[in-house]
PDB file of all heavy atoms in Angstrom:
ATOM      1  N   LYS A1123     166.720 170.330 103.224  1.00 92.00           N
ATOM      2  CA  LYS A1123     166.255 170.005 104.473  1.00 92.00           C
ATOM      3  C   LYS A1123     166.420 171.210 105.560  1.00 92.00           C
ATOM      4  O   LYS A1123     165.588 171.612 106.242  1.00 92.00           O
ATOM      5  CB  LYS A1123     166.859 168.894 105.116  1.00 92.00           C
ATOM      6  CG  LYS A1123     166.384 168.434 106.443  1.00 92.00           C
ATOM      7  CD  LYS A1123     166.918 167.046 106.840  1.00 92.00           C
ATOM      8  CE  LYS A1123     166.476 166.587 108.224  1.00 92.00           C
ATOM      9  NZ  LYS A1123     167.116 165.453 108.776  1.00 92.00           N
ATOM     10  N   ALA A1124     167.537 171.905 105.483  1.00 90.00           N
ATOM     11  CA  ALA A1124     167.881 172.998 106.234  1.00 90.00           C
ATOM     12  C   ALA A1124     167.022 174.231 105.852  1.00 90.00           C
ATOM     13  O   ALA A1124     166.604 174.916 106.712  1.00 90.00           O
ATOM     14  CB  ALA A1124     169.388 173.404 106.053  1.00 90.00           C
ATOM     15  N   LEU A1125     166.785 174.376 104.526  1.00 91.00           N
ATOM     16  CA  LEU A1125     165.923 175.575 104.144  1.00 91.00           C
ATOM     17  C   LEU A1125     164.590 175.244 104.599  1.00 91.00           C
ATOM     18  O   LEU A1125     163.862 176.262 104.963  1.00 91.00           O
ATOM     19  CB  LEU A1125     166.025 175.642 102.556  1.00 91.00           C
ATOM     20  CG  LEU A1125     167.352 176.146 101.963  1.00 91.00           C
ATOM     21  CD1 LEU A1125     167.355 176.078 100.469  1.00 91.00           C
ATOM     22  CD2 LEU A1125     167.612 177.609 102.481  1.00 91.00           C
ATOM     23  N   ASP A1126     164.086 174.121 104.489  1.00 92.00           N
ATOM     24  CA  ASP A1126     162.655 173.737 104.944  1.00 92.00           C
ATOM     25  C   ASP A1126     162.552 174.006 106.534  1.00 92.00           C
ATOM     26  O   ASP A1126     161.576 174.443 106.966  1.00 92.00           O
ATOM     27  CB  ASP A1126     162.376 172.403 104.653  1.00 92.00           C
ATOM     28  CG  ASP A1126     162.073 172.005 103.212  1.00 92.00           C
ATOM     29  OD1 ASP A1126     162.045 173.092 102.375  1.00 92.00           O
ATOM     30  OD2 ASP A1126     162.188 170.796 102.828  1.00 92.00           O
ATOM     31  N   HIS A1127     163.586 173.741 107.127  1.00 91.00           N
ATOM     32  CA  HIS A1127     163.721 173.906 108.704  1.00 91.00           C
ATOM     33  C   HIS A1127     163.535 175.383 108.941  1.00 91.00           C
ATOM     34  O   HIS A1127     162.597 175.744 109.820  1.00 91.00           O
ATOM     35  CB  HIS A1127     165.008 173.407 109.242  1.00 91.00           C
ATOM     36  CG  HIS A1127     165.314 173.866 110.582  1.00 91.00           C
ATOM     37  ND1 HIS A1127     164.625 173.400 111.716  1.00 91.00           N
ATOM     38  CD2 HIS A1127     165.992 174.968 111.056  1.00 91.00           C
ATOM     39  CE1 HIS A1127     165.034 174.159 112.889  1.00 91.00           C
ATOM     40  NE2 HIS A1127     165.806 175.026 112.454  1.00 91.00           N
ATOM     41  N   PHE A1128     164.221 176.275 108.176  1.00 90.00           N
ATOM     42  CA  PHE A1128     164.083 177.660 108.439  1.00 90.00           C
ATOM     43  C   PHE A1128     162.773 178.159 108.067  1.00 90.00           C
ATOM     44  O   PHE A1128     162.174 179.130 108.625  1.00 90.00           O
ATOM     45  CB  PHE A1128     165.206 178.432 107.818  1.00 90.00           C
ATOM     46  CG  PHE A1128     166.525 178.251 108.637  1.00 90.00           C
ATOM     47  CD1 PHE A1128     167.591 177.587 108.003  1.00 90.00           C
ATOM     48  CD2 PHE A1128     166.667 178.665 109.940  1.00 90.00           C
ATOM     49  CE1 PHE A1128     168.762 177.380 108.722  1.00 90.00           C
ATOM     50  CE2 PHE A1128     167.768 178.418 110.722  1.00 90.00           C
ATOM     51  CZ  PHE A1128     168.952 177.827 110.117  1.00 90.00           C
ATOM     52  N   ALA A1129     162.240 177.655 106.938  1.00 91.00           N
ATOM     53  CA  ALA A1129     160.863 178.073 106.421  1.00 91.00           C
ATOM     54  C   ALA A1129     159.788 177.723 107.446  1.00 91.00           C
ATOM     55  O   ALA A1129     158.970 178.583 107.883  1.00 91.00           O
ATOM     56  CB  ALA A1129     160.590 177.376 105.222  1.00 91.00           C
ATOM     57  N   ASP A1130     159.874 176.491 108.060  1.00 93.00           N
ATOM     58  CA  ASP A1130     158.953 176.039 109.221  1.00 93.00           C
ATOM     59  C   ASP A1130     159.066 176.974 110.384  1.00 93.00           C
ATOM     60  O   ASP A1130     158.128 177.281 110.999  1.00 93.00           O
ATOM     61  CB  ASP A1130     159.178 174.681 109.507  1.00 93.00           C
ATOM     62  CG  ASP A1130     158.740 173.636 108.390  1.00 93.00           C
ATOM     63  OD1 ASP A1130     158.150 174.081 107.476  1.00 93.00           O
ATOM     64  OD2 ASP A1130     159.239 172.468 108.500  1.00 93.00           O
ATOM     65  N   ARG A1131     160.240 177.496 110.653  1.00 91.00           N
ATOM     66  CA  ARG A1131     160.423 178.176 111.777  1.00 91.00           C
ATOM     67  C   ARG A1131     160.182 179.715 111.622  1.00 91.00           C
ATOM     68  O   ARG A1131     159.473 180.266 112.528  1.00 91.00           O
ATOM     69  CB  ARG A1131     161.935 178.246 112.208  1.00 91.00           C
ATOM     70  CG  ARG A1131     162.372 179.091 113.442  1.00 91.00           C
ATOM     71  CD  ARG A1131     163.658 178.979 113.797  1.00 91.00           C
ATOM     72  NE  ARG A1131     163.918 179.734 115.005  1.00 91.00           N
ATOM     73  CZ  ARG A1131     165.079 179.868 115.631  1.00 91.00           C
ATOM     74  NH1 ARG A1131     166.102 179.265 115.313  1.00 91.00           N
ATOM     75  NH2 ARG A1131     165.115 180.651 116.667  1.00 91.00           N
ATOM     76  N   PHE A1132     160.452 180.251 110.571  1.00 92.00           N
ATOM     77  CA  PHE A1132     160.236 181.614 110.350  1.00 92.00           C
ATOM     78  C   PHE A1132     158.989 182.145 109.594  1.00 92.00           C
ATOM     79  O   PHE A1132     158.360 183.189 109.891  1.00 92.00           O
ATOM     80  CB  PHE A1132     161.515 182.385 109.644  1.00 92.00           C
ATOM     81  CG  PHE A1132     162.650 182.401 110.540  1.00 92.00           C
ATOM     82  CD1 PHE A1132     163.910 181.729 110.022  1.00 92.00           C
ATOM     83  CD2 PHE A1132     162.668 182.858 111.813  1.00 92.00           C
ATOM     84  CE1 PHE A1132     165.105 181.680 110.837  1.00 92.00           C
ATOM     85  CE2 PHE A1132     163.868 182.864 112.577  1.00 92.00           C
ATOM     86  CZ  PHE A1132     165.006 182.170 112.157  1.00 92.00           C
ATOM     87  N   ASN A1133     158.459 181.296 108.588  1.00 93.00           N
ATOM     88  CA  ASN A1133     157.380 181.724 107.847  1.00 93.00           C
ATOM     89  C   ASN A1133     156.036 182.024 108.681  1.00 93.00           C
ATOM     90  O   ASN A1133     155.354 182.852 108.319  1.00 93.00           O
ATOM     91  CB  ASN A1133     157.074 180.641 106.742  1.00 93.00           C
ATOM     92  CG  ASN A1133     158.009 180.736 105.551  1.00 93.00           C
ATOM     93  OD1 ASN A1133     158.785 181.663 105.523  1.00 93.00           O
ATOM     94  ND2 ASN A1133     157.924 179.845 104.711  1.00 93.00           N
ATOM     95  N   PRO A1134     155.772 181.218 109.722  1.00 94.00           N
ATOM     96  CA  PRO A1134     154.673 181.529 110.533  1.00 94.00           C
ATOM     97  C   PRO A1134     154.702 182.808 111.275  1.00 94.00           C
ATOM     98  O   PRO A1134     153.713 183.232 111.908  1.00 94.00           O
ATOM     99  CB  PRO A1134     154.497 180.303 111.486  1.00 94.00           C
ATOM    100  CG  PRO A1134     155.306 179.253 110.924  1.00 94.00           C
ATOM    101  CD  PRO A1134     156.459 179.914 110.195  1.00 94.00           C
ATOM    102  N   GLN A1135     155.902 183.324 111.542  1.00 92.00           N
ATOM    103  CA  GLN A1135     156.121 184.471 112.411  1.00 92.00           C
ATOM    104  C   GLN A1135     155.625 185.707 111.736  1.00 92.00           C
ATOM    105  O   GLN A1135     155.887 185.937 110.420  1.00 92.00           O
ATOM    106  CB  GLN A1135     157.586 184.611 112.782  1.00 92.00           C
ATOM    107  CG  GLN A1135     157.998 183.447 113.695  1.00 92.00           C
ATOM    108  CD  GLN A1135     159.433 183.703 114.135  1.00 92.00           C
ATOM    109  OE1 GLN A1135     159.943 184.707 114.222  1.00 92.00           O
ATOM    110  NE2 GLN A1135     159.919 182.642 114.882  1.00 92.00           N
ATOM    111  N   THR A1136     155.105 186.684 112.535  1.00 92.00           N
ATOM    112  CA  THR A1136     154.845 188.000 112.027  1.00 92.00           C
ATOM    113  C   THR A1136     156.148 188.860 111.843  1.00 92.00           C
ATOM    114  O   THR A1136     157.109 188.469 112.223  1.00 92.00           O
ATOM    115  CB  THR A1136     153.878 188.783 112.980  1.00 92.00           C
ATOM    116  OG1 THR A1136     154.626 189.041 114.263  1.00 92.00           O
ATOM    117  CG2 THR A1136     152.698 187.940 113.255  1.00 92.00           C
ATOM    118  N   ASP A1137     155.931 189.961 111.257  1.00 88.00           N
ATOM    119  CA  ASP A1137     157.154 190.837 110.989  1.00 88.00           C
ATOM    120  C   ASP A1137     157.754 191.240 112.391  1.00 88.00           C
ATOM    121  O   ASP A1137     158.826 191.325 112.547  1.00 88.00           O
ATOM    122  CB  ASP A1137     156.775 192.099 110.149  1.00 88.00           C
ATOM    123  CG  ASP A1137     156.558 191.709 108.711  1.00 88.00           C
ATOM    124  OD1 ASP A1137     157.072 190.669 108.225  1.00 88.00           O
ATOM    125  OD2 ASP A1137     156.027 192.590 107.878  1.00 88.00           O
ATOM    126  N   GLU A1138     156.802 191.576 113.300  1.00 91.00           N
ATOM    127  CA  GLU A1138     157.143 191.974 114.728  1.00 91.00           C
ATOM    128  C   GLU A1138     157.928 190.823 115.317  1.00 91.00           C
ATOM    129  O   GLU A1138     158.925 191.062 115.949  1.00 91.00           O
ATOM    130  CB  GLU A1138     156.006 192.315 115.482  1.00 91.00           C
ATOM    131  CG  GLU A1138     155.351 193.597 115.020  1.00 91.00           C
ATOM    132  CD  GLU A1138     154.327 193.448 113.879  1.00 91.00           C
ATOM    133  OE1 GLU A1138     153.875 192.221 113.585  1.00 91.00           O
ATOM    134  OE2 GLU A1138     154.027 194.428 113.274  1.00 91.00           O
ATOM    135  N   GLU A1139     157.540 189.624 115.185  1.00 92.00           N
ATOM    136  CA  GLU A1139     158.160 188.503 115.875  1.00 92.00           C
ATOM    137  C   GLU A1139     159.650 188.289 115.189  1.00 92.00           C
ATOM    138  O   GLU A1139     160.630 187.963 115.878  1.00 92.00           O
ATOM    139  CB  GLU A1139     157.375 187.208 115.693  1.00 92.00           C
ATOM    140  CG  GLU A1139     156.130 187.198 116.502  1.00 92.00           C
ATOM    141  CD  GLU A1139     155.198 185.989 116.248  1.00 92.00           C
ATOM    142  OE1 GLU A1139     155.090 185.685 115.121  1.00 92.00           O
ATOM    143  OE2 GLU A1139     154.544 185.610 117.199  1.00 92.00           O
ATOM    144  N   LEU A1140     159.686 188.487 113.915  1.00 89.00           N
ATOM    145  CA  LEU A1140     160.953 188.358 113.215  1.00 89.00           C
ATOM    146  C   LEU A1140     162.048 189.408 113.589  1.00 89.00           C
ATOM    147  O   LEU A1140     163.067 189.102 113.915  1.00 89.00           O
ATOM    148  CB  LEU A1140     160.789 188.403 111.638  1.00 89.00           C
ATOM    149  CG  LEU A1140     160.185 187.166 111.023  1.00 89.00           C
ATOM    150  CD1 LEU A1140     159.999 187.439 109.590  1.00 89.00           C
ATOM    151  CD2 LEU A1140     161.135 185.910 111.184  1.00 89.00           C
ATOM    152  N   ILE A1141     161.513 190.621 113.782  1.00 88.00           N
ATOM    153  CA  ILE A1141     162.446 191.681 114.209  1.00 88.00           C
ATOM    154  C   ILE A1141     162.675 191.481 115.702  1.00 88.00           C
ATOM    155  O   ILE A1141     163.961 191.803 116.066  1.00 88.00           O
ATOM    156  CB  ILE A1141     161.860 193.143 113.850  1.00 88.00           C
ATOM    157  CG1 ILE A1141     162.940 194.138 113.863  1.00 88.00           C
ATOM    158  CG2 ILE A1141     160.827 193.503 114.916  1.00 88.00           C
ATOM    159  CD1 ILE A1141     163.996 194.060 112.798  1.00 88.00           C
ATOM    160  N   HIS A1142     161.878 190.951 116.494  1.00 90.00           N
ATOM    161  CA  HIS A1142     162.227 190.646 117.826  1.00 90.00           C
ATOM    162  C   HIS A1142     163.293 189.631 117.811  1.00 90.00           C
ATOM    163  O   HIS A1142     164.323 189.845 118.689  1.00 90.00           O
ATOM    164  CB  HIS A1142     160.909 190.178 118.549  1.00 90.00           C
ATOM    165  CG  HIS A1142     161.178 189.823 119.988  1.00 90.00           C
ATOM    166  ND1 HIS A1142     161.463 190.872 120.978  1.00 90.00           N
ATOM    167  CD2 HIS A1142     161.382 188.655 120.574  1.00 90.00           C
ATOM    168  CE1 HIS A1142     161.703 190.140 122.135  1.00 90.00           C
ATOM    169  NE2 HIS A1142     161.544 188.865 121.934  1.00 90.00           N
ATOM    170  N   TYR A1143     163.160 188.546 117.143  1.00 88.00           N
ATOM    171  CA  TYR A1143     164.286 187.527 117.075  1.00 88.00           C
ATOM    172  C   TYR A1143     165.565 188.095 116.672  1.00 88.00           C
ATOM    173  O   TYR A1143     166.584 187.796 117.271  1.00 88.00           O
ATOM    174  CB  TYR A1143     163.789 186.377 116.169  1.00 88.00           C
ATOM    175  CG  TYR A1143     164.930 185.516 115.698  1.00 88.00           C
ATOM    176  CD1 TYR A1143     165.464 184.598 116.462  1.00 88.00           C
ATOM    177  CD2 TYR A1143     165.475 185.738 114.439  1.00 88.00           C
ATOM    178  CE1 TYR A1143     166.531 183.750 116.063  1.00 88.00           C
ATOM    179  CE2 TYR A1143     166.618 184.980 114.106  1.00 88.00           C
ATOM    180  CZ  TYR A1143     167.160 183.951 114.886  1.00 88.00           C
ATOM    181  OH  TYR A1143     168.220 183.286 114.468  1.00 88.00           O
ATOM    182  N   ALA A1144     165.491 188.797 115.538  1.00 87.00           N
ATOM    183  CA  ALA A1144     166.902 189.410 115.099  1.00 87.00           C
ATOM    184  C   ALA A1144     167.415 190.485 115.985  1.00 87.00           C
ATOM    185  O   ALA A1144     168.687 190.601 116.196  1.00 87.00           O
ATOM    186  CB  ALA A1144     166.539 190.099 113.726  1.00 87.00           C
ATOM    187  N   SER A1145     166.585 191.219 116.667  1.00 87.00           N
ATOM    188  CA  SER A1145     166.914 192.184 117.723  1.00 87.00           C
ATOM    189  C   SER A1145     167.708 191.520 118.779  1.00 87.00           C
ATOM    190  O   SER A1145     168.644 191.952 119.296  1.00 87.00           O
ATOM    191  CB  SER A1145     165.788 193.054 118.165  1.00 87.00           C
ATOM    192  OG  SER A1145     165.323 193.819 117.020  1.00 87.00           O
ATOM    193  N   LEU A1146     167.075 190.424 119.433  1.00 86.00           N
ATOM    194  CA  LEU A1146     167.877 189.651 120.478  1.00 86.00           C
ATOM    195  C   LEU A1146     169.210 189.175 119.924  1.00 86.00           C
ATOM    196  O   LEU A1146     170.168 189.238 120.789  1.00 86.00           O
ATOM    197  CB  LEU A1146     166.858 188.524 120.930  1.00 86.00           C
ATOM    198  CG  LEU A1146     165.539 188.863 121.653  1.00 86.00           C
ATOM    199  CD1 LEU A1146     164.794 187.618 121.925  1.00 86.00           C
ATOM    200  CD2 LEU A1146     165.845 189.718 122.854  1.00 86.00           C
ATOM    201  N   GLN A1147     169.301 188.787 118.729  1.00 85.00           N
ATOM    202  CA  GLN A1147     170.554 188.376 118.250  1.00 85.00           C
ATOM    203  C   GLN A1147     171.507 189.552 118.208  1.00 85.00           C
ATOM    204  O   GLN A1147     172.642 189.404 118.566  1.00 85.00           O
ATOM    205  CB  GLN A1147     170.431 187.825 116.820  1.00 85.00           C
ATOM    206  CG  GLN A1147     169.646 186.580 116.775  1.00 85.00           C
ATOM    207  CD  GLN A1147     170.288 185.421 117.638  1.00 85.00           C
ATOM    208  OE1 GLN A1147     171.384 185.146 117.385  1.00 85.00           O
ATOM    209  NE2 GLN A1147     169.555 184.856 118.502  1.00 85.00           N
ATOM    210  N   CYS A1148     171.045 190.742 117.880  1.00 84.00           N
ATOM    211  CA  CYS A1148     171.842 191.912 117.898  1.00 84.00           C
ATOM    212  C   CYS A1148     172.373 192.304 119.403  1.00 84.00           C
ATOM    213  O   CYS A1148     173.543 192.801 119.499  1.00 84.00           O
ATOM    214  CB  CYS A1148     171.153 193.099 117.222  1.00 84.00           C
ATOM    215  SG  CYS A1148     170.900 192.943 115.519  1.00 84.00           S
ATOM    216  N   TYR A1149     171.495 192.077 120.271  1.00 82.00           N
ATOM    217  CA  TYR A1149     172.002 192.355 121.680  1.00 82.00           C
ATOM    218  C   TYR A1149     173.117 191.576 122.108  1.00 82.00           C
ATOM    219  O   TYR A1149     174.000 192.017 122.830  1.00 82.00           O
ATOM    220  CB  TYR A1149     170.826 192.154 122.615  1.00 82.00           C
ATOM    221  CG  TYR A1149     169.592 193.029 122.409  1.00 82.00           C
ATOM    222  CD1 TYR A1149     168.340 192.656 122.635  1.00 82.00           C
ATOM    223  CD2 TYR A1149     169.859 194.378 122.069  1.00 82.00           C
ATOM    224  CE1 TYR A1149     167.204 193.440 122.534  1.00 82.00           C
ATOM    225  CE2 TYR A1149     168.672 195.247 121.913  1.00 82.00           C
ATOM    226  CZ  TYR A1149     167.345 194.721 122.097  1.00 82.00           C
ATOM    227  OH  TYR A1149     166.308 195.616 122.024  1.00 82.00           O
ATOM    228  N   ILE A1150     173.203 190.344 121.646  1.00 77.00           N
ATOM    229  CA  ILE A1150     174.305 189.456 121.904  1.00 77.00           C
ATOM    230  C   ILE A1150     175.573 190.098 121.323  1.00 77.00           C
ATOM    231  O   ILE A1150     176.712 190.056 121.972  1.00 77.00           O
ATOM    232  CB  ILE A1150     174.031 188.048 121.414  1.00 77.00           C
ATOM    233  CG1 ILE A1150     172.888 187.359 122.196  1.00 77.00           C
ATOM    234  CG2 ILE A1150     175.332 187.110 121.585  1.00 77.00           C
ATOM    235  CD1 ILE A1150     172.314 186.028 121.648  1.00 77.00           C
ATOM    236  N   ARG A1151     175.442 190.470 119.968  1.00 76.00           N
ATOM    237  CA  ARG A1151     176.585 191.156 119.383  1.00 76.00           C
ATOM    238  C   ARG A1151     177.141 192.347 120.252  1.00 76.00           C
ATOM    239  O   ARG A1151     178.361 192.491 120.363  1.00 76.00           O
ATOM    240  CB  ARG A1151     176.220 191.742 117.999  1.00 76.00           C
ATOM    241  CG  ARG A1151     175.575 190.807 116.973  1.00 76.00           C
ATOM    242  CD  ARG A1151     176.382 189.622 116.560  1.00 76.00           C
ATOM    243  NE  ARG A1151     176.500 188.598 117.590  1.00 76.00           N
ATOM    244  CZ  ARG A1151     175.606 187.671 118.000  1.00 76.00           C
ATOM    245  NH1 ARG A1151     174.475 187.575 117.421  1.00 76.00           N
ATOM    246  NH2 ARG A1151     175.969 186.859 118.858  1.00 76.00           N
ATOM    247  N   ILE A1152     176.238 193.227 120.621  1.00 77.00           N
ATOM    248  CA  ILE A1152     176.570 194.330 121.447  1.00 77.00           C
ATOM    249  C   ILE A1152     177.352 193.895 122.650  1.00 77.00           C
ATOM    250  O   ILE A1152     178.472 194.462 123.023  1.00 77.00           O
ATOM    251  CB  ILE A1152     175.308 195.169 121.863  1.00 77.00           C
ATOM    252  CG1 ILE A1152     174.667 195.855 120.742  1.00 77.00           C
ATOM    253  CG2 ILE A1152     175.708 196.268 122.909  1.00 77.00           C
ATOM    254  CD1 ILE A1152     173.351 196.318 120.960  1.00 77.00           C
ATOM    255  N   ARG A1153     177.042 192.840 123.354  1.00 74.00           N
ATOM    256  CA  ARG A1153     177.622 192.395 124.555  1.00 74.00           C
ATOM    257  C   ARG A1153     179.074 191.884 124.155  1.00 74.00           C
ATOM    258  O   ARG A1153     179.944 192.329 124.931  1.00 74.00           O
ATOM    259  CB  ARG A1153     176.861 191.258 125.181  1.00 74.00           C
ATOM    260  CG  ARG A1153     177.548 190.820 126.502  1.00 74.00           C
ATOM    261  CD  ARG A1153     177.557 192.002 127.530  1.00 74.00           C
ATOM    262  NE  ARG A1153     178.495 191.769 128.555  1.00 74.00           N
ATOM    263  CZ  ARG A1153     179.426 192.689 128.957  1.00 74.00           C
ATOM    264  NH1 ARG A1153     179.372 193.876 128.450  1.00 74.00           N
ATOM    265  NH2 ARG A1153     180.242 192.366 129.901  1.00 74.00           N
ATOM    266  N   TYR A1154     179.300 191.092 123.093  1.00 70.00           N
ATOM    267  CA  TYR A1154     180.551 190.777 122.802  1.00 70.00           C
ATOM    268  C   TYR A1154     181.442 191.925 122.430  1.00 70.00           C
ATOM    269  O   TYR A1154     182.554 191.979 122.677  1.00 70.00           O
ATOM    270  CB  TYR A1154     180.469 189.736 121.594  1.00 70.00           C
ATOM    271  CG  TYR A1154     180.267 188.361 122.281  1.00 70.00           C
ATOM    272  CD1 TYR A1154     178.963 187.957 122.377  1.00 70.00           C
ATOM    273  CD2 TYR A1154     181.235 187.511 122.545  1.00 70.00           C
ATOM    274  CE1 TYR A1154     178.646 186.598 122.800  1.00 70.00           C
ATOM    275  CE2 TYR A1154     181.040 186.267 123.087  1.00 70.00           C
ATOM    276  CZ  TYR A1154     179.724 185.750 123.176  1.00 70.00           C
ATOM    277  OH  TYR A1154     179.530 184.562 123.654  1.00 70.00           O
ATOM    278  N   GLY A1155     180.889 192.865 121.666  1.00 68.00           N
ATOM    279  CA  GLY A1155     181.719 193.959 121.257  1.00 68.00           C
ATOM    280  C   GLY A1155     182.077 194.916 122.459  1.00 68.00           C
ATOM    281  O   GLY A1155     183.097 195.519 122.496  1.00 68.00           O
ATOM    282  N   THR A1156     181.220 194.839 123.561  1.00 71.00           N
ATOM    283  CA  THR A1156     181.531 195.783 124.646  1.00 71.00           C
ATOM    284  C   THR A1156     182.782 195.220 125.406  1.00 71.00           C
ATOM    285  O   THR A1156     183.255 195.900 126.267  1.00 71.00           O
ATOM    286  CB  THR A1156     180.365 195.983 125.532  1.00 71.00           C
ATOM    287  OG1 THR A1156     179.808 194.737 125.935  1.00 71.00           O
ATOM    288  CG2 THR A1156     179.211 196.795 124.830  1.00 71.00           C
ATOM    289  N   TYR A1157     182.936 193.935 125.309  1.00 66.00           N
ATOM    290  CA  TYR A1157     184.213 193.386 126.050  1.00 66.00           C
ATOM    291  C   TYR A1157     185.472 194.142 125.670  1.00 66.00           C
ATOM    292  O   TYR A1157     186.265 194.517 126.500  1.00 66.00           O
ATOM    293  CB  TYR A1157     184.439 191.884 125.706  1.00 66.00           C
ATOM    294  CG  TYR A1157     183.438 190.914 126.206  1.00 66.00           C
ATOM    295  CD1 TYR A1157     182.972 189.774 125.512  1.00 66.00           C
ATOM    296  CD2 TYR A1157     182.933 191.148 127.499  1.00 66.00           C
ATOM    297  CE1 TYR A1157     182.133 188.963 125.984  1.00 66.00           C
ATOM    298  CE2 TYR A1157     181.970 190.225 128.075  1.00 66.00           C
ATOM    299  CZ  TYR A1157     181.588 189.169 127.319  1.00 66.00           C
ATOM    300  OH  TYR A1157     180.667 188.143 127.825  1.00 66.00           O
ATOM    301  N   LYS A1158     185.684 194.467 124.371  1.00 63.00           N
ATOM    302  CA  LYS A1158     186.763 195.318 124.075  1.00 63.00           C
ATOM    303  C   LYS A1158     186.618 196.725 124.532  1.00 63.00           C
ATOM    304  O   LYS A1158     187.595 197.258 124.988  1.00 63.00           O
ATOM    305  CB  LYS A1158     186.898 195.201 122.443  1.00 63.00           C
ATOM    306  CG  LYS A1158     188.176 195.999 121.942  1.00 63.00           C
ATOM    307  CD  LYS A1158     189.470 195.387 122.502  1.00 63.00           C
ATOM    308  CE  LYS A1158     190.791 196.182 122.091  1.00 63.00           C
ATOM    309  NZ  LYS A1158     191.938 195.683 122.706  1.00 63.00           N
ATOM    310  N   ILE A1159     185.474 197.262 124.371  1.00 66.00           N
ATOM    311  CA  ILE A1159     185.198 198.531 124.895  1.00 66.00           C
ATOM    312  C   ILE A1159     185.642 198.702 126.341  1.00 66.00           C
ATOM    313  O   ILE A1159     186.260 199.604 126.778  1.00 66.00           O
ATOM    314  CB  ILE A1159     183.834 199.163 124.543  1.00 66.00           C
ATOM    315  CG1 ILE A1159     183.707 199.152 123.045  1.00 66.00           C
ATOM    316  CG2 ILE A1159     183.572 200.394 125.199  1.00 66.00           C
ATOM    317  CD1 ILE A1159     182.274 199.361 122.590  1.00 66.00           C
ATOM    318  N   GLU A1160     185.152 197.761 127.192  1.00 67.00           N
ATOM    319  CA  GLU A1160     185.445 197.771 128.570  1.00 67.00           C
ATOM    320  C   GLU A1160     186.837 197.632 128.911  1.00 67.00           C
ATOM    321  O   GLU A1160     187.357 198.244 129.820  1.00 67.00           O
ATOM    322  CB  GLU A1160     184.513 196.655 129.315  1.00 67.00           C
ATOM    323  CG  GLU A1160     183.117 196.884 129.293  1.00 67.00           C
ATOM    324  CD  GLU A1160     182.287 195.663 129.778  1.00 67.00           C
ATOM    325  OE1 GLU A1160     182.849 194.552 129.939  1.00 67.00           O
ATOM    326  OE2 GLU A1160     181.096 195.817 129.967  1.00 67.00           O
ATOM    327  N   GLU A1161     187.452 196.816 128.057  1.00 68.00           N
ATOM    328  CA  GLU A1161     188.923 196.635 128.262  1.00 68.00           C
ATOM    329  C   GLU A1161     189.734 197.998 128.068  1.00 68.00           C
ATOM    330  O   GLU A1161     190.514 198.431 128.892  1.00 68.00           O
ATOM    331  CB  GLU A1161     189.503 195.650 127.149  1.00 68.00           C
ATOM    332  CG  GLU A1161     190.915 195.408 127.223  1.00 68.00           C
ATOM    333  CD  GLU A1161     191.444 194.472 126.085  1.00 68.00           C
ATOM    334  OE1 GLU A1161     190.789 193.202 126.130  1.00 68.00           O
ATOM    335  OE2 GLU A1161     192.202 194.736 125.359  1.00 68.00           O
TER     336      GLU A1161
END
């Protein structure tokens, strides 16, 4: 059921849409990592 959920979510997306989604997730990582850098 979980695999089907992700297939329904991601299969219709173009490569550009997938990289956009993953890139937004990476931006969140950058923000959390900068907490320590700012400290």
Side-chain angles (χ1 to χ4, degrees):
K1123 185 175 179 180
L1125 292 172
D1126 290 344
H1127 165 78
F1128 289 116
D1130 291 345
R1131 179 174 181 184
F1132 294 123
N1133 283 351
Q1135 293 187 12
T1136 66
D1137 288 344
E1138 291 80 19
E1139 290 169 328
L1140 285 174
I1141 199 68
H1142 178 73
Y1143 162 80
S1145 295
L1146 291 176
Q1147 295 299 305
C1148 290
Y1149 295 145
I1150 296 168
R1151 307 297 70 78
I1152 293 167
R1153 184 63 201 133
Y1154 277 88
T1156 57
Y1157 288 143
K1158 182 61 181 176
I1159 295 167
E1160 288 171 355
E1161 180 184 305

